[in-house]
Amino acid sequence: MRIGETRFAAIDFESAGSSPGGTDEPVQIAIVHLAGAAISEGLCSYVKAESEVTWAARKVHGITDSMIKDAPRFLDLWPRIKSDMEGCWIVAHGAATEKRFL
């Protein structure tokens, strides 16, 4: 298969940030599809976290607890995420973070 015929899914997460003794979790996900020269959006959604967004994380991405309070949970988004990645080569902004959350 040629590179121009390959379908990519570029994925990026924003996180709640971690605090001592806590774990990090996603608060936003975006997936964009690339095929040849065409770029198309797959998914862009806030994600409801169980923990509060840390001050340090808010300073990086600007996402607040009030912005995610009515967002879907990650597991509710999973069928769509899986579908958007299916049959694609996965490209990640921060591969360690994306791999950990997936």
Side-chain angles (χ1 to χ4, degrees), residues 9-99:
I11 187 168
D12 185 35
F13 283 103
E14 296 298 342
S15 78
S18 58
S19 55
T23 57
D24 200 3
E25 53 187 315
V27 293
Q28 187 177 40
I29 182 173
I31 300 174
V32 175
H33 294 112
L34 304 103
I39 300 173
S40 60
E41 187 176 316
L43 171 67
C44 184
S45 178
Y46 288 125
V47 180
K48 184 172 187 162
E50 296 297 320
S51 58
E52 292 183 359
V53 180
T54 65
W55 176 87
R58 282 194 314 269
K59 291 301 253 183
V60 170
H61 52 56
I63 299 170
T64 65
D65 294 320
S66 63
M67 294 166 73
I68 64 170
K69 69 178 177 119
D70 295 323
R73 297 190 185 280
F74 186 81
L75 288 178
D76 295 329
L77 288 169
W78 179 248
R80 172 71 191 276
I81 295 166
K82 183 179 175 193
S83 173
D84 277 6
M85 293 188 308
E86 205 166 306
C88 297
W89 285 88
I90 307 302
V91 179
H93 175 262
T97 300
E98 278 70 36
K99 184 177 179 181

